[in-house]
């Protein structure tokens, strides 16, 4: 299994995932811990809407595994949009473990993809906090192609 640093380009406090716990065709599971120093903390807790970034980084890890298995370099990707976002609870507790699951719905040769995502963790009172969303992503062949408008 690869380390998160081998799969995604995020570094420092913006690298939110701890590890990929399971990967198979069209699916990935990852985990993260809500740590002090997380740039998204509000009053010592993580708002559940930040789960979208955790989901997006899990999608990036999925694409990173695909690239590594093909012997390619990991490419940059972009979160284009979010649909059908639903959450239960409002915040995740400090030091709690977050579980993220993603499933590919679509991945086109043009770099556009869609993923169904779920996230769960513990709220500050010990209850369960969850979020689900459909993420639309774009991964250009090269960043230069995208900048030139050729992607």
């Amino acid at each position: 299994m690869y380390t998160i640093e081998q799969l995604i380009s995020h570094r420092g406090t913006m690298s939110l995932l701890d590890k990929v716990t399971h990967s198979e065709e069209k699916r990935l599971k990852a985990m993260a811990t809500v740590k002090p120093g997380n740039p998204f903390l509000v009053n010592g807790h993580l708002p559940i809407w930040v789960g979208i970034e955790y989901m997006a980084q899990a999608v990036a890890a999925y694409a990173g595994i695909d690239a590594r298995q093909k012997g390619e370099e990991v490419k940059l990707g972009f979160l284009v949009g979010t649909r059908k976002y639903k959450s239960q609870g409002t915040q995740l507790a400090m030091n709690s473990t977050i579980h993220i699951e993603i499933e590919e719905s679509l991945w086109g040769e043009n770099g556009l993809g869609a993923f169904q995502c779920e996230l769960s963790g513990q709220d500050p009172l010990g209850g369960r906090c969850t979020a689900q969303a459909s993420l639309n992503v774009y991964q250009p062949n090269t960043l230069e192609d995208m900048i030139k408008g050729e992607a």
Side-chain angles (χ1 to χ4, degrees), residues 112-128:
L112 292 173
F115 290 81
Q116 299 304 312
C117 307
E118 294 185 15
L119 175 144
S120 65
Q122 187 176 16
D123 72 20
L125 299 176
R128 188 165 176 221

Side-chain angles (χ1 to χ4, degrees), residues 2 5-7 63-74:
Y2 301 99
E5 291 78 19
Q6 294 172 306
L7 301 176
I65 288 173
D66 183 58
R68 294 281 181 188
Q69 289 176 341
K70 292 177 180 175
E72 300 173 356
E73 291 293 316
V74 173

Side-chain angles (χ1 to χ4, degrees), residues 35-120:
K35 298 176 188 133
N38 183 311
F40 299 107
L41 292 176
V42 176
N43 297 323
H45 303 295
L46 185 71
I48 190 61
W49 57 263
V50 178
I52 293 170
E53 179 62 24
Y54 284 81
M55 294 172 188
Q57 288 192 24
V59 171
Y62 173 86
I65 288 173
D66 183 58
R68 294 281 181 188
Q69 289 176 341
K70 292 177 180 175
E72 300 173 356
E73 291 293 316
V74 173
K75 299 175 190 172
L76 287 178
F78 300 91
L79 174 61
V80 177
T82 303
R83 296 180 303 114
K84 300 179 183 176
Y85 177 81
K86 292 189 283 185
S87 66
Q88 180 178 351
T90 60
Q91 53 192 1
L92 295 157
M94 178 65 70
N95 298 315
S96 65
T97 300
I98 302 171
H99 298 276
I100 307 103
E101 296 185 32
I102 64 155
E103 183 175 358
E104 175 191 320
S105 301
L106 168 76
W107 192 262
E109 289 186 27
N110 62 358
L112 292 173
F115 290 81
Q116 299 304 312
C117 307
E118 294 185 15
L119 175 144
S120 65

